[in-house]
């Protein structure tokens, strides 16, 4: 089966954050701008998913969702087949997306004022949720080792005050696309055990791994750590189903699971039937689409990196995983205001501002590459022109 990732789909005026909020937030018109900030794809979802949604619409009754056995079995089968991870049905709690799941974890495993450790720069929503829940952000800055991030647990140990309760890991890492090695994951798990920290492993990008790299789920890397582990997974990034707002907290330990469930139930949360349907079908039948997607993205990121790295002083991190390019402008000698203005105002290309990802992100912009390749190449051409005086 062929999938047309080159098709340009006009998402303007469809209540699309990525395009319809471009001008209100960044001052760039979607009519001539290129939107590369929000982390969803400009590709159609797998045809099998859209067919299932059409069937549901044709049925015409859209009531409460029940009987989640097929849904949970699809998750179990996917994790076993693609991650060699044995999951039990009772471990799975369905959440209204993974950002909401992070909030539930904060309330279940910490108190207001407690410290929550982030390896920065990292996905900006983590910090927003920590602040919104009255917890304290503890930044452990990643070491940029010649364009590849690594954790500094020795430095982190020296920072601890005793008020820290939770570590949130992004695995694979966003931004930077780093796939952590099994040894690194084991080291972090041991650190959490030694310092009595809950470990929340957000693995929403774990299916978007490029050839030559192997993602290890934290539950497999450190099975001795499951008494303090929450695994967050979803089909949303894998199959471009973010609008379904459906994720999973997979918690092997009974006591940990009970604490999470108590907060989850107190919020009155219940699943979205369309999100559950999409996830079930995607996990059961979406593999051919995913394989084609990864091949397409692999070539796109190669061309993007080549084009950005041709600009003097600009370096795009090599992605092990994700479709989110992390580009370092520090070599240009410009401050963030200047290089961002050149990209946004001159080139009319919009990526995420690196400073929103926390300490260590100030010299970067993040660009979403999950769009038709000709649009990515147009963005590269525009950015090269905006920095032509450096040639």
């Amino acid at each position: 089966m062929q999938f047309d990732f080159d098709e340009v789909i006009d998402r303007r005026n469809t209540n699309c954050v990525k395009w319809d909020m471009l001008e209100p937030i960044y001052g760039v018109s979607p009519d001539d701008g290129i939107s590369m900030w929000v982390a969803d794809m400009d590709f159609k979802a797998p045809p099998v998913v859209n067919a299932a949604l059409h069937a549901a619409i044709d049925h015409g009754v859209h009531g409460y969702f029940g009987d989640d056995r097929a849904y949970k079995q699809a998750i179990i089968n996917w994790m076993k087949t693609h991650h060699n991870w044995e999951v039990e049905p009772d471990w799975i709690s369905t959440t209204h997306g993974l950002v909401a799941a992070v909030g539930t974890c904060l309330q279940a495993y910490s108190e207001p004022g407690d410290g929550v450790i982030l390896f920065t720069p990292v996905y900006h929503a983590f910090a927003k949720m920590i602040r919104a829940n009255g917890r304290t952000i503890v930044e452990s800055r990643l070491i940029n080792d010649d364009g590849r991030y690594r954790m500094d647990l020795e430095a982190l140990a020296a920072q601890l005050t005793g008020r820290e309760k939770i570590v949130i890991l992004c695995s694979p890492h966003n931004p930077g696309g780093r796939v952590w090695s099994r040894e690194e994951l084991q080291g972090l798990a041991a650190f959490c055990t030694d310092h009595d920290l809950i470990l929340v492993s957000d693995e929403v990008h774990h299916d978007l791994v490029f050839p030559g790299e192997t993602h290890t789920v934290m539950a497999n890397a450190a099975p001795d750590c499951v008494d303090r582990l929450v695994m967050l997974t979803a089909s949303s990034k894998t199959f471009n189903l973010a609008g379904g707002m459906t994720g999973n907290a997979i918690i092997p330990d009974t006591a940990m699971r009970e604490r999470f469930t108590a907060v989850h139930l107190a919020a009155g949360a219940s699943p979205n039937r369309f999100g559950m349907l999409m996830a079930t079908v995607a996990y059961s039948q979406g593999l051919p689409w995913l394989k084609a997607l990864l091949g397409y993205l692999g070539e796109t990121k190669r061309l993007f990196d080549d084009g950005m790295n041709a600009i003097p002083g600009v370096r795009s991190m090599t992605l092990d995983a994700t479709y989110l390019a992390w580009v370092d402008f520090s070599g240009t000698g410009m401050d963030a205001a200047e290089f961002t203005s050149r990209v946004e105002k001159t080139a009319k290309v919009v990526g995420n501002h690196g400073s929103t990802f926390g300490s260590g992100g100030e010299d970067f912009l993040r660009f979403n590459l999950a769009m038709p390749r000709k649009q990515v190449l147009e963005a590269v051409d525009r950015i090269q022109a905006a920095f032509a005086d450096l040639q």
Side-chain angles (χ1 to χ4, degrees):
M1 183 181 294
Q2 297 298 312
F3 307 102
D4 187 6
F5 298 113
D6 286 320
E7 179 186 3
V8 177
I9 301 167
D10 188 354
R11 300 182 67 189
R12 295 172 299 175
N13 302 312
T14 63
N15 302 109
C16 166
V17 172
K18 186 176 179 183
W19 288 91
D20 291 337
M21 297 306 293
L22 189 62
E23 191 160 20
I25 293 176
Y26 292 98
V28 176
S29 171
D31 294 332
D32 59 359
I34 300 178
S35 186
M36 302 178 76
W37 61 298
V38 175
D40 63 17
M41 307 184 205
D42 286 347
F43 306 134
K44 288 182 180 178
V48 290
V49 172
N50 289 335
L53 287 175
H54 279 294
I57 291 168
D58 290 342
H59 182 268
V61 181
H62 310 303
Y64 295 111
F65 185 87
D67 190 1
D68 62 2
R69 287 175 295 179
Y71 165 79
K72 287 189 173 181
Q73 193 59 51
I75 296 168
I76 290 166
N77 292 345
W78 184 269
M79 297 306 166
K80 172 60 178 175
T81 301
H82 299 284
H83 298 285
N84 193 32
W85 179 28
E86 300 277 0
V87 173
E88 297 293 333
D90 292 346
W91 298 357
I92 303 170
S93 293
T94 300
T95 64
H96 192 68
L98 292 192
V99 174
V102 169
T104 302
C105 288
L106 293 172
Q107 295 173 32
Y109 306 121
S110 67
E111 299 293 335
D114 285 346
V116 181
I117 297 167
L118 298 178
F119 296 101
T120 62
V122 73
Y123 177 47
H124 45 76
F126 293 157
K128 292 179 182 177
M129 291 303 294
I130 294 168
R131 293 190 186 101
N133 282 279
R135 277 60 171 174
T136 301
I137 298 169
V138 179
E139 290 190 331
S140 178
R141 184 163 171 170
L142 294 168
I143 296 174
N144 186 343
D145 191 357
D146 194 27
R148 191 169 177 81
Y149 282 133
R150 60 181 176 86
M151 292 177 273
D152 189 347
L153 298 182
E154 183 177 348
L156 175 58
Q159 290 180 243
L160 299 182
T161 66
R163 290 299 305 275
E164 298 81 9
K165 294 296 188 293
I166 298 174
V167 172
I168 302 178
L169 175 70
C170 199
S171 181
H173 191 72
N174 165 27
R178 176 72 204 283
V179 171
W180 306 112
S181 69
R182 180 181 289 267
E183 292 73 23
E184 287 172 308
L185 297 174
Q186 290 171 337
L188 177 59
F191 182 93
C192 290
T193 299
D194 291 344
H195 296 279
D196 194 21
L197 298 165
I198 300 296
L199 177 54
V200 177
S201 187
D202 181 345
E203 306 199 5
V204 71
H205 294 282
H206 67 184
D207 296 315
L208 298 170
V209 176
F210 294 108
E213 301 294 335
T214 301
H215 172 82
T216 304
V217 299
M218 178 59 85
N220 283 348
D224 294 340
C225 184
V226 295
D227 62 338
R228 60 183 65 251
L229 177 64
V230 177
M231 296 282 296
L232 301 182
T233 72
S235 60
S236 54
K237 290 291 186 284
T238 306
F239 296 106
N240 199 29
L241 309 177
M245 296 304 296
T246 302
N248 308 294
I250 304 179
I251 309 174
D253 183 77
T254 301
M256 286 281 292
R257 191 164 61 248
E258 289 176 349
R259 292 170 68 182
F260 183 94
T261 300
V263 175
H264 196 215
L265 290 176
S270 60
N272 177 317
R273 69 176 295 109
F274 298 104
M276 302 281 274
L277 173 63
M278 289 192 290
T280 303
V281 174
Y283 276 142
S284 301
Q285 303 174 49
L287 182 59
W289 183 90
L290 176 59
K291 287 182 175 179
L293 171 74
L294 288 172
Y296 188 88
L297 289 176
E299 178 62 9
T300 298
K301 77 180 181 73
R302 184 188 70 79
L303 293 171
F304 178 86
D305 287 351
D306 287 349
M308 296 302 290
N309 292 339
I311 302 171
V314 176
R315 182 176 184 183
S316 182
M317 271 196 176
T318 300
L319 296 179
D320 299 339
T322 84
Y323 49 74
L324 303 167
W326 188 233
V327 181
D328 183 357
F329 289 83
S330 62
T332 63
M334 301 176 189
D335 62 17
E338 182 176 357
F339 69 70
T340 301
S341 177
R342 288 186 181 221
V343 173
E344 290 179 5
K345 305 306 180 186
T346 304
K348 298 185 183 299
V349 176
V350 175
N352 296 94
H353 296 180
S355 59
T356 64
F357 295 83
S359 179
E362 299 83 359
D363 293 323
F364 289 80
L365 293 174
R366 192 190 74 172
F367 298 94
N368 181 347
L369 305 182
M371 60 198 312
R373 190 174 296 146
K374 68 179 180 181
Q375 290 181 312
V376 174
L377 296 179
E378 170 66 17
V380 170
D381 287 344
R382 292 188 188 189
I383 295 171
Q384 286 181 340
F387 291 86
D389 57 311
L390 303 183
Q391 305 297 327

